[in-house]
Amino acid sequence: MSRLTLPINFHEMSVFNQYFVAIICIFFLLIPSVLVPEVSAQNLPTGQCVTEFKADNDYFTDKVTVETASLFSIEYFNHYKLVTNKQTQEVFGLYQCGTVNDLPANVKPFPVSINSVAVTDTSSNAFLDMLGLRSVIKVLGSADLISSPCIQYAKDNGDITILSTNETLNAIELGNVDLIFGATDAAADKKSVSVSSSNDPGVLNRVEWIKFYSVFFNAESKANEVYGKIKSNYECFKNLVGKNTLSNKPVVAWVAYEAPSEFNQNTAAYKIADAMYKMQLTEDAGGVYFNSTTLSYSNSVDFLKAIENVDILIDETFVAPTLDDVYKNFELTPNQQYKFIKNQAIYREDGLTGPNDGRDWFENAVVMGDALLEDMINVVNPKLPKSDYQRIWLRNVAKNEPIKISSSNNCSDLNQPSFSKADDCSALPSVSVKGDGVISSTPTFFSYLIAFVISVIFSNISII
Ligand SMILES: *[C@@H]1O[C@H](CO)[C@@H](O)[C@H](O)[C@H]1NC(C)=O
Ligand SMILES: *[C@@H]1O[C@H](CO)[C@@H](O)[C@H](O)[C@H]1NC(C)=O
């Protein structure tokens, strides 16, 4: 036997050799999974139907389980699934095409997978986009309310048509699609599917609606992947905030001005929001959510008195693009002593829109919950999650930050699904705040040390 075949002296291993052995061992451990690919059945993708129906086959081996969302449920049977929108009480019976439709009575039947849809709300686009299903969208309810660059591109290209206002044409256009997402008031319509993602109370509840969409396309496995990623990234950001708590947590109020109109008896109203997801975002970002027993005021004096100790204002008034507009609506003046004025901490949700003011806040901000938290973290503590973080949706109007416009030019690859715009939280350097605001990077030396110790232990175990 030559020296070459026995290169390592196990009893006097150098650090290098120990690493070497560890790497070799890991390599051999991985081989079985490479050589023997997992043979698992999958749900049939769009365009494929069962050719030989067997009643006791499970046609949906990829399943989703609802974890946090409270406004929908999904039940699996061998060749069909029952999906319930708990807010509207609509039940959709999705049977695998090529099997039989023996669905219970009182459900809206749809053979799956669905090939073409019309979308009449805004957030459905974003969910379908993330599932890689942009190409099933054939008709849109409105030309204006789109911020997704690639959906705008498909519309400009004629691949997506805009629903006509002419009733005859409208009926023809909707007749050509398999299903209509968004129509909450069209229970009588056989094709309409009501969606309630924006009403599900928590941030991750809203995100989890991606599972609701997925079941219509047998895309459960993609939904699990996307939801799992966003959820763990969200938890990671929440932990990052937990490790960097400010000694004085800022108080954040989400407010809106309602101009007098026919909808409010021509009286102005000053509102304080009371939504679970806004509270979660604020608290998970390290702030204090401003809550009040009175949520609506008829004059600005009482309203301003209520929010006098607020540090950060989030103005949700739909139209108020400039700081002057905000001042005018709430009857504020620049020299007042409110902290949100002195500290220039007034934000709006209009940071990213389409060319015709289609707000991305109502599209991607619903599904990209991790990126939304990241934006909010930066609002509460501008040094987090990293010093050069660029917010997506929450725009500081007090600092005159510009509105970013996304148009069809910004579609880089029509065939790619959209991805959450969040940073990978686990790849961010961990930061710690000393006192109020001074930040230092924690050395990553310890993580290297731990990795080293583990590999040494591992190589020794393998040798024995
Ligand atoms: C709607 O469209 C149909 C078909 O093109 C046309 O015949 C009809 O005149 C239109 N109706 C209106 C009110 O424009
Ligand atoms: C879209 O693309 C233009 C350049 O074509 C760029 O200036 C703009 O910042 C992009 N918008 C977004 C939202 O990325």
Side-chain angles (χ1 to χ4, degrees):
M1 204 179 268
S2 79
R3 283 285 291 158
L4 253 182
T5 55
L6 228 175
I8 298 167
N9 174 349
F10 288 145
H11 300 285
E12 289 171 27
M13 261 196 283
S14 71
V15 169
F16 171 78
N17 282 343
Q18 295 191 12
Y19 265 123
F20 184 73
V21 171
I23 289 164
I24 298 270
C25 292
I26 290 167
F27 179 75
F28 278 103
L29 283 174
L30 288 176
I31 278 187
S33 62
V34 174
L35 292 184
V36 189
E38 205 181 309
V39 186
S40 76
Q42 287 174 327
N43 296 356
L44 284 180
T46 296
Q48 287 186 32
C49 294
V50 167
T51 46
E52 201 184 324
F53 173 52
K54 295 196 187 93
D56 47 4
N57 263 13
D58 178 3
Y59 288 102
F60 309 113
T61 49
D62 299 333
K63 296 178 175 63
V64 289
T65 313
V66 182
E67 296 169 28
T68 16
S70 53
L71 292 183
F72 73 94
S73 64
I74 297 166
E75 253 186 299
Y76 285 93
F77 300 88
N78 273 358
H79 64 279
Y80 67 91
K81 23 194 178 185
L82 294 182
V83 186
T84 306
N85 178 328
K86 294 192 197 171
Q87 190 186 30
T88 59
Q89 297 294 326
E90 274 198 306
V91 184
F92 312 103
L94 316 180
Y95 62 97
Q96 176 58 51
C97 66
T99 70
V100 292
N101 172 1
D102 52 1
L103 294 164
N106 303 324
V107 309
K108 277 190 187 178
F110 291 98
V112 294
S113 292
I114 295 293
N115 292 300
S116 61
V117 304
V119 170
T120 60
D121 74 325
T122 52
S123 59
S124 293
N125 290 327
F127 283 102
L128 295 171
D129 218 345
M130 285 198 92
L131 286 169
L133 294 166
R134 193 186 299 124
S135 62
V136 305
I137 305 171
K138 303 296 181 199
V139 178
L140 282 178
S142 159
D144 293 343
L145 301 177
I146 315 165
S147 81
S148 157
C150 291
I151 293 179
Q152 291 183 55
Y153 185 93
K155 183 200 72 172
D156 295 350
N157 226 17
D159 296 331
I160 293 178
T161 53
I162 304 300
L163 205 50
S164 169
T165 48
N166 173 320
E167 276 186 29
T168 317
L169 295 176
N170 187 303
I172 294 171
E173 286 157 1
L174 292 180
N176 291 331
V177 297
D178 297 334
L179 177 160
I180 306 158
F181 278 125
T184 42
D185 54 352
D189 187 320
K190 285 197 179 73
K191 286 185 184 178
S192 76
V193 171
S194 53
V195 290
S196 303
S197 58
S198 308
N199 297 317
D200 220 317
V203 183
L204 290 174
N205 299 40
R206 290 151 55 97
V207 176
E208 202 174 14
W209 272 74
I210 196 156
K211 296 178 179 173
F212 175 92
Y213 289 91
S214 76
V215 294
F216 292 86
F217 307 92
N218 283 347
E220 277 93 336
S221 118
K222 181 71 179 169
N224 283 329
E225 177 202 319
V226 174
Y227 178 74
K229 244 190 201 162
I230 291 179
K231 184 186 168 185
S232 63
N233 211 28
Y234 187 99
E235 300 297 341
C236 173
F237 279 120
K238 201 172 146 178
N239 286 337
L240 182 116
V241 170
K243 288 187 206 129
N244 297 281
T245 317
L246 292 169
S247 44
N248 280 317
K249 290 186 172 190
V251 177
V252 184
W254 299 63
V255 300
Y257 168 70
E258 277 175 15
S261 75
E262 56 181 304
F263 302 109
N264 57 14
Q265 287 84 41
N266 296 307
T267 39
Y270 301 83
K271 301 257 183 178
I272 290 164
D274 181 28
M276 176 68 88
Y277 83 93
K278 292 170 192 166
M279 187 175 90
Q280 282 180 353
L281 278 175
T282 306
E283 291 177 349
D284 293 348
V288 173
Y289 185 71
F290 178 77
N291 214 336
S292 161
T293 40
T294 310
L295 296 174
S296 184
Y297 298 82
S298 58
N299 65 75
S300 69
V301 176
D302 292 343
F303 169 76
L304 292 175
K305 177 87 186 113
I307 63 164
E308 66 183 348
N309 292 319
V310 163
D311 296 283
I312 299 171
L313 208 60
I314 298 187
D315 173 28
E316 302 189 273
T317 310
F318 194 73
V319 184
T322 69
L323 184 60
D324 281 349
D325 298 326
V326 177
Y327 282 165
K328 199 161 141 252
N329 286 340
F330 296 111
E331 297 177 18
L332 290 162
T333 56
N335 47 16
Q336 279 168 320
Q337 294 302 301
Y338 298 104
K339 285 183 275 180
F340 52 84
I341 290 185
K342 285 197 295 181
N343 299 333
Q344 293 186 290
I346 305 175
Y347 294 81
R348 290 183 40 81
E349 296 159 349
D350 58 9
L352 180 61
T353 79
N356 300 314
D357 205 16
R359 305 266 170 103
D360 204 53
W361 180 261
F362 301 110
E363 298 180 33
N364 284 321
V366 179
V367 61
M368 299 176 182
D370 51 350
L372 182 56
L373 176 59
E374 217 181 343
D375 254 27
M376 193 62 203
I377 289 171
N378 188 255
V379 164
V380 170
N381 181 349
K383 302 223 160 66
L384 293 179
K386 57 183 186 186
S387 54
D388 58 347
Y389 180 73
Q390 302 282 316
R391 269 170 279 105
I392 301 167
W393 302 283
L394 292 169
R395 177 176 72 96
N396 190 330
V397 67
K399 291 188 175 164
N400 203 18
E401 287 177 353
I403 294 172
K404 300 176 288 296
I405 307 291
S406 81
S407 69
S408 56
N409 292 334
N410 300 93
C411 171
S412 49
D413 188 345
L414 202 53
N415 300 312
Q416 282 294 315
S418 68
F419 296 95
S420 173
K421 297 178 188 184
D423 287 294
D424 176 359
C425 167
S426 65
L428 290 174
S430 72
V431 277
S432 63
V433 180
K434 303 232 174 84
D436 260 28
V438 188
I439 279 201
S440 68
S441 267
T442 312
T444 49
F445 170 71
F446 281 103
S447 32
Y448 287 119
L449 184 68
I450 288 165
F452 171 71
V453 169
I454 289 173
S455 60
V456 168
I457 292 169
F458 190 77
S459 61
N460 286 332
I461 289 171
S462 312
I463 292 157
I464 297 160

